[in-house]
Amino acid sequence: MKSYKLFTLITFTLFCLLSFGQAKKPTLMVVPSDVWCNQNGYMLNFDNQGSTIRIPDYKRAFQENAEVLQVISQINGMMAERGFPLKNMESAIKTMESNAVEDALRSSKDSGASVNESPIDAIKKAAKADIIIQLTWTVNKTGPKKSINFNLQGLDAYTDKQVATATGTGAPSFSAETPVLLSEAVISHMDNFTLSLQDHFDDMFENGREIIVRIQTWDDWDGDLETEFGGEDELGYVIEDWLADNTVKGRFSTTDITETMALFEQVRIPLYNDKGRAIDARRYVRELSKYLKNAPFNIPNKLVMKGLGRATIILGSK
């Protein structure tokens, strides 16, 4: 009897270890924060109809500042030790540059306007990471001694919501290099930080990933969201019913709706399709776009993306 209990305990322990080991973890990408890029002069200025817009110049930061590569590699290593799959920012930048060449050749059919996209949105699309980790660090010098302040922010790549944070200051040192100082400062915070990331991912796995869906109408369209189709409900209710049928556990919030627009937030979509591929807002909302294009609605529409987690359908024409 005693041997049987021991065998059961060992079997149960092995099952738990295997289950934990197979738990899926979020993919991550570590990037220097906007604050760090601004403090160190790695920003680009753009004129937007008279207003100056400043955006991070990640490519120049990687090419000119060896410390960036060392510090991010240090954090990447710490995350890899804890089993988190990583996306490499340098590779994402190269993919982004390739995409930028294509975008430079693309323009609007009607106005000739060019594609507008922030660098971080472009990197998110290129890397398809679940969580972006923004890293800010400052080296303090007191005589020959150096210490480091750091701020790690884990951001949901789809919604930009902060899901984990860690801040602190490392012990002063006379000789250690910046990556070593950073590693020593971060190490005691890393387990709680990664635990928060995993909790957020586990919630997404069970309840779906959050995206935002917006419905708009072209001003020359002869219909609106109060139009009834084939004796069915008004179009606004038809769209809500589609969301209820196609979200995880039917979860979404109708934040605002009028006859010309609707805004749905906290729309929970599956993380992966039946082929195991990650689903972003574009792939998900494309199905709603096709649904509205088909009978009995026959509504031509245009699908517009912003980042990975926001999609807009404009009803009335392409």
Side-chain angles (χ1 to χ4, degrees):
M1 189 65 181
K2 191 173 180 180
S3 299
Y4 175 76
K5 286 183 178 178
L6 181 60
F7 174 76
T8 303
L9 178 62
I10 292 173
T11 303
F12 178 75
T13 304
L14 286 173
F15 174 78
C16 291
L17 288 172
L18 286 171
S19 297
F20 181 76
Q22 292 170 352
K24 197 146 189 170
K25 291 180 179 296
T27 52
L28 310 174
M29 188 169 63
V30 184
V31 306
S33 70
D34 288 13
V35 172
W36 185 90
C37 289
N38 187 45
Q39 289 176 341
N40 291 274
Y42 297 110
M43 300 294 283
L44 293 169
N45 294 328
F46 286 98
D47 181 73
N48 182 19
Q49 299 179 340
S51 299
T52 300
I53 296 177
R54 293 169 59 77
I55 58 175
D57 188 350
Y58 298 122
K59 180 183 175 183
R60 195 163 66 84
F62 270 90
Q63 288 180 339
E64 297 180 5
N65 193 318
E67 189 178 274
V68 174
L69 193 58
Q70 294 171 342
V71 166
I72 288 183
S73 294
Q74 195 75 22
I75 298 298
N76 280 347
M78 297 174 80
M79 300 304 295
E81 286 173 1
R82 287 158 177 78
F84 286 86
L86 295 161
K87 301 282 186 174
N88 185 279
M89 187 177 187
E90 273 193 300
S91 302
I93 288 175
K94 290 175 183 174
T95 303
M96 185 179 69
E97 285 183 325
S98 173
N99 294 339
V101 172
E102 296 175 12
D103 287 345
L105 301 174
R106 187 177 296 130
S107 60
S108 165
K109 293 178 183 175
D110 300 325
S111 65
S114 58
V115 176
N116 184 21
E117 188 173 52
S118 75
I120 193 66
D121 278 345
I123 287 176
K124 286 175 185 174
K125 285 171 61 177
K128 289 285 182 74
D130 296 304
I131 293 172
I132 301 293
I133 298 179
Q134 283 204 127
L135 172 62
T136 307
W137 70 99
T138 306
V139 178
N140 309 308
K141 294 182 180 178
T142 307
K145 292 193 294 187
K146 292 192 299 184
S147 63
I148 196 164
N149 296 334
F150 76 92
N151 185 1
L152 277 175
Q153 293 175 291
L155 306 174
D156 185 307
Y158 285 64
T159 62
D160 293 330
K161 288 182 178 177
Q162 181 170 300
V163 296
T165 184
T167 61
T169 302
S173 169
F174 284 97
S175 57
E177 298 295 327
T178 300
V180 177
L181 288 173
L182 180 69
S183 176
E184 292 173 352
V186 168
I187 189 72
S188 62
H189 300 267
M190 191 52 87
D191 287 340
N192 285 336
F193 183 75
T194 54
L195 188 62
S196 296
L197 296 181
Q198 188 63 50
D199 285 346
H200 175 69
F201 192 71
D202 289 344
D203 174 70
M204 286 197 297
F205 218 83
E206 181 178 352
N207 299 307
R209 188 195 301 278
E210 275 189 29
I211 65 166
I212 295 173
V213 179
R214 183 185 294 273
I215 308 293
Q216 293 180 302
T217 55
W218 294 109
D219 60 7
D220 59 355
W221 184 41
D222 59 1
D224 59 39
L225 296 180
E226 294 180 349
T227 303
E228 296 180 1
F229 288 85
E232 299 291 333
D233 273 337
E234 295 177 357
L235 182 58
Y237 291 107
V238 170
I239 294 172
E240 284 185 317
D241 287 344
W242 188 92
L243 289 171
D245 291 339
N246 291 278
T247 46
V248 177
K249 300 179 181 179
R251 294 177 65 173
F252 68 97
S253 297
T254 304
T255 305
D256 195 8
I257 187 164
T258 69
E259 62 185 51
T260 58
M261 62 79 67
L263 176 62
F264 304 103
E265 297 182 306
Q266 298 174 315
V267 179
R268 294 279 192 154
I269 67 173
L271 265 67
Y272 304 101
N273 62 17
D274 53 5
K275 296 180 180 177
R277 296 174 183 161
I279 301 175
D280 59 17
R282 173 175 164 273
R283 284 185 177 274
Y284 176 80
V285 176
R286 185 175 62 173
E287 297 304 314
L288 175 58
S289 168
K290 288 159 60 176
Y291 178 69
L292 296 174
K293 283 179 182 175
N294 293 334
F297 312 108
N298 300 313
I299 304 172
N301 61 75
K302 185 179 185 67
L303 176 58
V304 180
M305 294 299 303
K306 184 177 181 183
L308 293 174
R310 297 166 188 255
T312 299
I313 293 178
I314 310 175
L315 303 175
S317 65
K318 185 84 173 178

